[in-house]
């Protein structure tokens, strides 16, 4: 059939039908992997969320008004010299994360590495006899001789969950990790009846957590 002007009508595109639906890993699995290895993709995530100022405002909103000045962010990657975070603010944010996870029946071990178990930053730390599985936490490192941190939690029989934050600056990173952070946590082990977290590591390959589902076999 021709058009009003006598020209043939343009052919209509065939109906588009999806053939395969791809579902990525669950969000918690992705977050866990990023935190286990401390992959530094958080700057683009911070930028996507509105920039460092927006992330700073959100983080400060989790704190009492008297503590909000203890968080200062210049960027989302830890490289800006203006970045500041106090130990007690770090613990407060960790506990806020824990409370958020509880809303969906999850815990810190679902998103942060467990020392001595999970591959990554804490696999070879605090993994001696009676230590493996007792600490869940997050490292932070910048430079060979600069900032190094360990923020986490452990379970004790007498005092429940004990939270800690160790922030070092201006000393060699290996010394900060082994001789300061790990040693301080071991002092906690000596004075508390520490128990391992209830945790079973998911050993499946990342590719096994994603799905590709054929969806285009139905008749048109």
């Amino acid at each position: 059939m021709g058009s009003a002007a006598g020209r043939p009508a343009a052919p209509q595109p065939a109906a588009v039908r999806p053939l395969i639906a791809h579902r990525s890993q669950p969000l918690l699995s992705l977050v866990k992997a990023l935190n286990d290895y401390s992959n530094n993709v958080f700057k683009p995530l911070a930028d996507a969320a509105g920039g460092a100022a927006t992330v700073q405002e959100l983080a400060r909103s989790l704190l009492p008004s008297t503590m909000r000045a203890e968080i200062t962010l210049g960027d989302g990657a830890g490289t800006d010299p203006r970045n500041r975070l106090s130990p007690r603010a770090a613990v407060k944010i960790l506990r806020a994360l824990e409370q958020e996870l509880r809303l969906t029946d999850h815990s810190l071990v679902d998103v942060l590495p467990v020392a001595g178990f999970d591959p990554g930053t804490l696999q070879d730390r605090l993994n001696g006899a009676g230590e493996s599985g007792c600490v869940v936490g997050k490292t932070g490192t910048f430079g060979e001789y600069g900032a190094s941190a360990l923020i986490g939690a452990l379970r004790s029989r007498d005092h429940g969950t004990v939270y800690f934050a160790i922030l070092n600056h201006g000393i060699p990173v290996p010394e900060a990790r082994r001789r300061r952070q790990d040693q301080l946590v071991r002092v906690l082990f000596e004075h508390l009846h520490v128990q391992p977290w209830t945790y079973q590591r998911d050993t499946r390959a990342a590719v096994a957590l994603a799905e590709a589902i054929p969806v285009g076999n139905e008749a048109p």
Side-chain angles (χ1 to χ4, degrees), residues 27 29-49 51 55 75-79 138-139 141:
L27 178 60
S29 297
L30 292 169
V31 173
K32 173 83 169 177
L34 289 173
N35 284 327
D36 282 357
Y37 288 94
S38 198
N39 290 333
N40 197 4
V41 299
F42 295 102
K43 183 182 185 305
L45 292 178
D47 291 343
V55 176
D75 66 5
T79 60
K138 181 70 181 71
T139 63
T141 309

PDB file of all heavy atoms in Angstrom, residues 27 29-49 51 55 75-79 138-139 141:
ATOM      1  N   LEU A  27      23.354  -8.623  45.144  1.00  0.00           N
ATOM      2  CA  LEU A  27      24.074  -7.421  45.565  1.00  0.00           C
ATOM      3  C   LEU A  27      25.014  -7.699  46.736  1.00  0.00           C
ATOM      4  O   LEU A  27      26.163  -7.237  46.736  1.00  0.00           O
ATOM      5  CB  LEU A  27      23.076  -6.328  45.953  1.00  0.00           C
ATOM      6  CG  LEU A  27      23.689  -5.019  46.476  1.00  0.00           C
ATOM      7  CD1 LEU A  27      24.592  -4.387  45.436  1.00  0.00           C
ATOM      8  CD2 LEU A  27      22.583  -4.053  46.887  1.00  0.00           C
ATOM      9  N   SER A  29      26.563 -10.403  47.519  1.00  0.00           N
ATOM     10  CA  SER A  29      27.744 -11.136  47.058  1.00  0.00           C
ATOM     11  C   SER A  29      28.750 -10.210  46.400  1.00  0.00           C
ATOM     12  O   SER A  29      29.965 -10.347  46.590  1.00  0.00           O
ATOM     13  CB  SER A  29      27.333 -12.236  46.069  1.00  0.00           C
ATOM     14  OG  SER A  29      26.502 -13.193  46.694  1.00  0.00           O
ATOM     15  N   LEU A  30      28.262  -9.244  45.631  1.00  0.00           N
ATOM     16  CA  LEU A  30      29.149  -8.281  44.992  1.00  0.00           C
ATOM     17  C   LEU A  30      29.830  -7.393  46.030  1.00  0.00           C
ATOM     18  O   LEU A  30      31.038  -7.145  45.964  1.00  0.00           O
ATOM     19  CB  LEU A  30      28.361  -7.417  44.006  1.00  0.00           C
ATOM     20  CG  LEU A  30      27.816  -8.126  42.765  1.00  0.00           C
ATOM     21  CD1 LEU A  30      26.843  -7.221  42.023  1.00  0.00           C
ATOM     22  CD2 LEU A  30      28.950  -8.545  41.847  1.00  0.00           C
ATOM     23  N   VAL A  31      29.060  -6.921  47.004  1.00  0.00           N
ATOM     24  CA  VAL A  31      29.630  -6.071  48.055  1.00  0.00           C
ATOM     25  C   VAL A  31      30.660  -6.844  48.862  1.00  0.00           C
ATOM     26  O   VAL A  31      31.738  -6.334  49.198  1.00  0.00           O
ATOM     27  CB  VAL A  31      28.509  -5.541  48.968  1.00  0.00           C
ATOM     28  CG1 VAL A  31      29.095  -4.802  50.172  1.00  0.00           C
ATOM     29  CG2 VAL A  31      27.592  -4.614  48.191  1.00  0.00           C
ATOM     30  N   LYS A  32      30.354  -8.103  49.173  1.00  0.00           N
ATOM     31  CA  LYS A  32      31.283  -8.944  49.933  1.00  0.00           C
ATOM     32  C   LYS A  32      32.604  -9.091  49.179  1.00  0.00           C
ATOM     33  O   LYS A  32      33.684  -8.951  49.764  1.00  0.00           O
ATOM     34  CB  LYS A  32      30.645 -10.305  50.175  1.00  0.00           C
ATOM     35  CG  LYS A  32      31.553 -11.349  50.802  1.00  0.00           C
ATOM     36  CD  LYS A  32      31.633 -11.219  52.294  1.00  0.00           C
ATOM     37  CE  LYS A  32      32.330 -12.418  52.906  1.00  0.00           C
ATOM     38  NZ  LYS A  32      32.501 -12.293  54.361  1.00  0.00           N
ATOM     39  N   ALA A  33      32.545  -9.383  47.892  1.00  0.00           N
ATOM     40  CA  ALA A  33      33.766  -9.562  47.103  1.00  0.00           C
ATOM     41  C   ALA A  33      34.584  -8.276  47.061  1.00  0.00           C
ATOM     42  O   ALA A  33      35.816  -8.296  47.189  1.00  0.00           O
ATOM     43  CB  ALA A  33      33.417 -10.027  45.688  1.00  0.00           C
ATOM     44  N   LEU A  34      33.921  -7.142  46.881  1.00  0.00           N
ATOM     45  CA  LEU A  34      34.632  -5.864  46.845  1.00  0.00           C
ATOM     46  C   LEU A  34      35.327  -5.580  48.169  1.00  0.00           C
ATOM     47  O   LEU A  34      36.469  -5.131  48.200  1.00  0.00           O
ATOM     48  CB  LEU A  34      33.653  -4.734  46.515  1.00  0.00           C
ATOM     49  CG  LEU A  34      33.106  -4.679  45.091  1.00  0.00           C
ATOM     50  CD1 LEU A  34      32.038  -3.605  44.984  1.00  0.00           C
ATOM     51  CD2 LEU A  34      34.212  -4.421  44.082  1.00  0.00           C
ATOM     52  N   ASN A  35      34.637  -5.847  49.272  1.00  0.00           N
ATOM     53  CA  ASN A  35      35.225  -5.567  50.575  1.00  0.00           C
ATOM     54  C   ASN A  35      36.298  -6.584  50.963  1.00  0.00           C
ATOM     55  O   ASN A  35      37.274  -6.237  51.630  1.00  0.00           O
ATOM     56  CB  ASN A  35      34.128  -5.537  51.646  1.00  0.00           C
ATOM     57  CG  ASN A  35      33.322  -4.260  51.600  1.00  0.00           C
ATOM     58  OD1 ASN A  35      33.836  -3.198  51.280  1.00  0.00           O
ATOM     59  ND2 ASN A  35      32.037  -4.360  51.909  1.00  0.00           N
ATOM     60  N   ASP A  36      36.123  -7.849  50.564  1.00  0.00           N
ATOM     61  CA  ASP A  36      37.129  -8.863  50.881  1.00  0.00           C
ATOM     62  C   ASP A  36      38.494  -8.466  50.322  1.00  0.00           C
ATOM     63  O   ASP A  36      39.521  -8.637  50.983  1.00  0.00           O
ATOM     64  CB  ASP A  36      36.721 -10.225  50.313  1.00  0.00           C
ATOM     65  CG  ASP A  36      35.660 -10.914  51.169  1.00  0.00           C
ATOM     66  OD1 ASP A  36      35.281 -10.366  52.210  1.00  0.00           O
ATOM     67  OD2 ASP A  36      35.217 -12.016  50.779  1.00  0.00           O
ATOM     68  N   TYR A  37      38.492  -7.980  49.101  1.00  0.00           N
ATOM     69  CA  TYR A  37      39.753  -7.615  48.450  1.00  0.00           C
ATOM     70  C   TYR A  37      40.037  -6.123  48.531  1.00  0.00           C
ATOM     71  O   TYR A  37      41.075  -5.664  48.052  1.00  0.00           O
ATOM     72  CB  TYR A  37      39.732  -8.052  46.982  1.00  0.00           C
ATOM     73  CG  TYR A  37      39.850  -9.548  46.806  1.00  0.00           C
ATOM     74  CD1 TYR A  37      38.717 -10.338  46.682  1.00  0.00           C
ATOM     75  CD2 TYR A  37      41.095 -10.172  46.805  1.00  0.00           C
ATOM     76  CE1 TYR A  37      38.821 -11.715  46.534  1.00  0.00           C
ATOM     77  CE2 TYR A  37      41.212 -11.540  46.656  1.00  0.00           C
ATOM     78  CZ  TYR A  37      40.072 -12.310  46.524  1.00  0.00           C
ATOM     79  OH  TYR A  37      40.180 -13.677  46.383  1.00  0.00           O
ATOM     80  N   SER A  38      39.107  -5.366  49.117  1.00  0.00           N
ATOM     81  CA  SER A  38      39.252  -3.918  49.231  1.00  0.00           C
ATOM     82  C   SER A  38      39.493  -3.276  47.864  1.00  0.00           C
ATOM     83  O   SER A  38      40.357  -2.412  47.709  1.00  0.00           O
ATOM     84  CB  SER A  38      40.397  -3.549  50.189  1.00  0.00           C
ATOM     85  OG  SER A  38      40.286  -2.208  50.615  1.00  0.00           O
ATOM     86  N   ASN A  39      38.727  -3.736  46.862  1.00  0.00           N
ATOM     87  CA  ASN A  39      38.852  -3.158  45.530  1.00  0.00           C
ATOM     88  C   ASN A  39      38.420  -1.698  45.547  1.00  0.00           C
ATOM     89  O   ASN A  39      37.341  -1.361  46.057  1.00  0.00           O
ATOM     90  CB  ASN A  39      37.984  -3.935  44.533  1.00  0.00           C
ATOM     91  CG  ASN A  39      38.530  -5.315  44.274  1.00  0.00           C
ATOM     92  OD1 ASN A  39      39.720  -5.553  44.386  1.00  0.00           O
ATOM     93  ND2 ASN A  39      37.659  -6.247  43.936  1.00  0.00           N
ATOM     94  N   ASN A  40      39.245  -0.833  45.002  1.00  0.00           N
ATOM     95  CA  ASN A  40      38.997   0.601  45.111  1.00  0.00           C
ATOM     96  C   ASN A  40      38.119   1.089  43.961  1.00  0.00           C
ATOM     97  O   ASN A  40      38.588   1.723  43.025  1.00  0.00           O
ATOM     98  CB  ASN A  40      40.316   1.369  45.139  1.00  0.00           C
ATOM     99  CG  ASN A  40      40.113   2.777  45.648  1.00  0.00           C
ATOM    100  OD1 ASN A  40      39.031   3.155  46.041  1.00  0.00           O
ATOM    101  ND2 ASN A  40      41.171   3.558  45.627  1.00  0.00           N
ATOM    102  N   VAL A  41      36.831   0.769  44.048  1.00  0.00           N
ATOM    103  CA  VAL A  41      35.879   1.278  43.061  1.00  0.00           C
ATOM    104  C   VAL A  41      34.916   2.265  43.711  1.00  0.00           C
ATOM    105  O   VAL A  41      33.915   2.647  43.108  1.00  0.00           O
ATOM    106  CB  VAL A  41      35.067   0.123  42.437  1.00  0.00           C
ATOM    107  CG1 VAL A  41      35.990  -0.853  41.733  1.00  0.00           C
ATOM    108  CG2 VAL A  41      34.227  -0.585  43.491  1.00  0.00           C
ATOM    109  N   PHE A  42      35.234   2.690  44.919  1.00  0.00           N
ATOM    110  CA  PHE A  42      34.263   3.484  45.654  1.00  0.00           C
ATOM    111  C   PHE A  42      34.243   4.948  45.240  1.00  0.00           C
ATOM    112  O   PHE A  42      33.258   5.646  45.479  1.00  0.00           O
ATOM    113  CB  PHE A  42      34.512   3.343  47.157  1.00  0.00           C
ATOM    114  CG  PHE A  42      34.260   1.933  47.621  1.00  0.00           C
ATOM    115  CD1 PHE A  42      35.300   1.069  47.864  1.00  0.00           C
ATOM    116  CD2 PHE A  42      32.964   1.479  47.756  1.00  0.00           C
ATOM    117  CE1 PHE A  42      35.071  -0.241  48.259  1.00  0.00           C
ATOM    118  CE2 PHE A  42      32.709   0.176  48.154  1.00  0.00           C
ATOM    119  CZ  PHE A  42      33.759  -0.687  48.407  1.00  0.00           C
ATOM    120  N   LYS A  43      35.311   5.434  44.604  1.00  0.00           N
ATOM    121  CA  LYS A  43      35.259   6.807  44.109  1.00  0.00           C
ATOM    122  C   LYS A  43      34.174   6.974  43.046  1.00  0.00           C
ATOM    123  O   LYS A  43      33.343   7.888  43.151  1.00  0.00           O
ATOM    124  CB  LYS A  43      36.611   7.256  43.571  1.00  0.00           C
ATOM    125  CG  LYS A  43      36.612   8.719  43.116  1.00  0.00           C
ATOM    126  CD  LYS A  43      37.931   9.142  42.541  1.00  0.00           C
ATOM    127  CE  LYS A  43      37.922  10.637  42.222  1.00  0.00           C
ATOM    128  NZ  LYS A  43      36.814  11.019  41.327  1.00  0.00           N
ATOM    129  N   PRO A  44      34.138   6.126  41.986  1.00  0.00           N
ATOM    130  CA  PRO A  44      33.042   6.291  41.020  1.00  0.00           C
ATOM    131  C   PRO A  44      31.670   6.059  41.644  1.00  0.00           C
ATOM    132  O   PRO A  44      30.686   6.687  41.239  1.00  0.00           O
ATOM    133  CB  PRO A  44      33.351   5.258  39.932  1.00  0.00           C
ATOM    134  CG  PRO A  44      34.351   4.332  40.519  1.00  0.00           C
ATOM    135  CD  PRO A  44      35.117   5.121  41.527  1.00  0.00           C
ATOM    136  N   LEU A  45      31.591   5.166  42.638  1.00  0.00           N
ATOM    137  CA  LEU A  45      30.305   4.972  43.312  1.00  0.00           C
ATOM    138  C   LEU A  45      29.916   6.224  44.089  1.00  0.00           C
ATOM    139  O   LEU A  45      28.752   6.632  44.093  1.00  0.00           O
ATOM    140  CB  LEU A  45      30.387   3.769  44.250  1.00  0.00           C
ATOM    141  CG  LEU A  45      30.539   2.397  43.580  1.00  0.00           C
ATOM    142  CD1 LEU A  45      30.664   1.304  44.636  1.00  0.00           C
ATOM    143  CD2 LEU A  45      29.368   2.104  42.657  1.00  0.00           C
ATOM    144  N   ALA A  46      30.906   6.832  44.767  1.00  0.00           N
ATOM    145  CA  ALA A  46      30.627   8.073  45.481  1.00  0.00           C
ATOM    146  C   ALA A  46      30.224   9.176  44.516  1.00  0.00           C
ATOM    147  O   ALA A  46      29.294   9.963  44.787  1.00  0.00           O
ATOM    148  CB  ALA A  46      31.850   8.499  46.296  1.00  0.00           C
ATOM    149  N   ASP A  47      30.904   9.250  43.377  1.00  0.00           N
ATOM    150  CA  ASP A  47      30.560  10.255  42.370  1.00  0.00           C
ATOM    151  C   ASP A  47      29.129  10.052  41.864  1.00  0.00           C
ATOM    152  O   ASP A  47      28.377  11.009  41.689  1.00  0.00           O
ATOM    153  CB  ASP A  47      31.538  10.199  41.201  1.00  0.00           C
ATOM    154  CG  ASP A  47      32.940  10.663  41.588  1.00  0.00           C
ATOM    155  OD1 ASP A  47      33.073  11.314  42.641  1.00  0.00           O
ATOM    156  OD2 ASP A  47      33.891  10.347  40.845  1.00  0.00           O
ATOM    157  N   ALA A  48      28.762   8.774  41.642  1.00  0.00           N
ATOM    158  CA  ALA A  48      27.417   8.469  41.155  1.00  0.00           C
ATOM    159  C   ALA A  48      26.352   8.822  42.189  1.00  0.00           C
ATOM    160  O   ALA A  48      25.208   9.132  41.843  1.00  0.00           O
ATOM    161  CB  ALA A  48      27.320   6.992  40.782  1.00  0.00           C
ATOM    162  N   ALA A  49      26.741   8.767  43.465  1.00  0.00           N
ATOM    163  CA  ALA A  49      25.790   9.085  44.542  1.00  0.00           C
ATOM    164  C   ALA A  49      25.662  10.581  44.788  1.00  0.00           C
ATOM    165  O   ALA A  49      24.854  10.998  45.615  1.00  0.00           O
ATOM    166  CB  ALA A  49      26.223   8.390  45.835  1.00  0.00           C
ATOM    167  N   GLY A  51      28.743  12.685  44.789  1.00  0.00           N
ATOM    168  CA  GLY A  51      30.038  13.246  45.136  1.00  0.00           C
ATOM    169  C   GLY A  51      30.368  13.082  46.601  1.00  0.00           C
ATOM    170  O   GLY A  51      29.553  12.639  47.420  1.00  0.00           O
ATOM    171  N   VAL A  55      28.160  12.005  50.157  1.00  0.00           N
ATOM    172  CA  VAL A  55      28.499  10.853  50.988  1.00  0.00           C
ATOM    173  C   VAL A  55      28.850  11.311  52.402  1.00  0.00           C
ATOM    174  O   VAL A  55      28.468  10.665  53.394  1.00  0.00           O
ATOM    175  CB  VAL A  55      29.654  10.058  50.355  1.00  0.00           C
ATOM    176  CG1 VAL A  55      30.083   8.910  51.264  1.00  0.00           C
ATOM    177  CG2 VAL A  55      29.249   9.530  48.989  1.00  0.00           C
ATOM    178  N   ASP A  75      37.294  13.199  49.018  1.00  0.00           N
ATOM    179  CA  ASP A  75      37.006  12.382  47.844  1.00  0.00           C
ATOM    180  C   ASP A  75      36.482  11.028  48.329  1.00  0.00           C
ATOM    181  O   ASP A  75      36.353  10.780  49.526  1.00  0.00           O
ATOM    182  CB  ASP A  75      38.239  12.205  46.946  1.00  0.00           C
ATOM    183  CG  ASP A  75      39.352  11.394  47.606  1.00  0.00           C
ATOM    184  OD1 ASP A  75      39.159  10.882  48.730  1.00  0.00           O
ATOM    185  OD2 ASP A  75      40.420  11.267  46.992  1.00  0.00           O
ATOM    186  N   GLY A  76      36.165  10.165  47.364  1.00  0.00           N
ATOM    187  CA  GLY A  76      35.627   8.861  47.720  1.00  0.00           C
ATOM    188  C   GLY A  76      36.633   7.740  47.653  1.00  0.00           C
ATOM    189  O   GLY A  76      36.262   6.570  47.703  1.00  0.00           O
ATOM    190  N   ALA A  77      37.919   8.077  47.562  1.00  0.00           N
ATOM    191  CA  ALA A  77      38.937   7.037  47.392  1.00  0.00           C
ATOM    192  C   ALA A  77      40.013   7.061  48.468  1.00  0.00           C
ATOM    193  O   ALA A  77      40.936   6.261  48.431  1.00  0.00           O
ATOM    194  CB  ALA A  77      39.597   7.172  46.017  1.00  0.00           C
ATOM    195  N   GLY A  78      39.935   7.989  49.398  1.00  0.00           N
ATOM    196  CA  GLY A  78      40.925   8.031  50.466  1.00  0.00           C
ATOM    197  C   GLY A  78      42.229   8.695  50.106  1.00  0.00           C
ATOM    198  O   GLY A  78      43.206   8.601  50.848  1.00  0.00           O
ATOM    199  N   THR A  79      42.287   9.383  48.973  1.00  0.00           N
ATOM    200  CA  THR A  79      43.542   9.986  48.522  1.00  0.00           C
ATOM    201  C   THR A  79      43.643  11.472  48.846  1.00  0.00           C
ATOM    202  O   THR A  79      44.731  12.039  48.770  1.00  0.00           O
ATOM    203  CB  THR A  79      43.707   9.806  46.999  1.00  0.00           C
ATOM    204  OG1 THR A  79      42.612  10.440  46.330  1.00  0.00           O
ATOM    205  CG2 THR A  79      43.732   8.328  46.645  1.00  0.00           C
ATOM    206  N   LYS A 138      37.224  -4.478  58.279  1.00  0.00           N
ATOM    207  CA  LYS A 138      37.579  -3.824  57.019  1.00  0.00           C
ATOM    208  C   LYS A 138      38.908  -3.118  57.187  1.00  0.00           C
ATOM    209  O   LYS A 138      39.125  -2.399  58.172  1.00  0.00           O
ATOM    210  CB  LYS A 138      36.501  -2.816  56.626  1.00  0.00           C
ATOM    211  CG  LYS A 138      36.767  -2.088  55.312  1.00  0.00           C
ATOM    212  CD  LYS A 138      36.624  -3.037  54.146  1.00  0.00           C
ATOM    213  CE  LYS A 138      36.907  -2.334  52.818  1.00  0.00           C
ATOM    214  NZ  LYS A 138      38.348  -2.020  52.656  1.00  0.00           N
ATOM    215  N   THR A 139      39.800  -3.346  56.246  1.00  0.00           N
ATOM    216  CA  THR A 139      41.083  -2.647  56.240  1.00  0.00           C
ATOM    217  C   THR A 139      40.967  -1.349  55.453  1.00  0.00           C
ATOM    218  O   THR A 139      40.027  -1.136  54.693  1.00  0.00           O
ATOM    219  CB  THR A 139      42.165  -3.518  55.600  1.00  0.00           C
ATOM    220  OG1 THR A 139      41.819  -3.763  54.226  1.00  0.00           O
ATOM    221  CG2 THR A 139      42.305  -4.849  56.321  1.00  0.00           C
ATOM    222  N   THR A 141      44.013   1.284  53.496  1.00  0.00           N
ATOM    223  CA  THR A 141      45.440   1.514  53.283  1.00  0.00           C
ATOM    224  C   THR A 141      45.642   2.589  52.225  1.00  0.00           C
ATOM    225  O   THR A 141      44.929   2.618  51.224  1.00  0.00           O
ATOM    226  CB  THR A 141      46.139   0.216  52.819  1.00  0.00           C
ATOM    227  OG1 THR A 141      45.813  -0.843  53.705  1.00  0.00           O
ATOM    228  CG2 THR A 141      47.653   0.403  52.784  1.00  0.00           C
TER     229      THR A 141
END
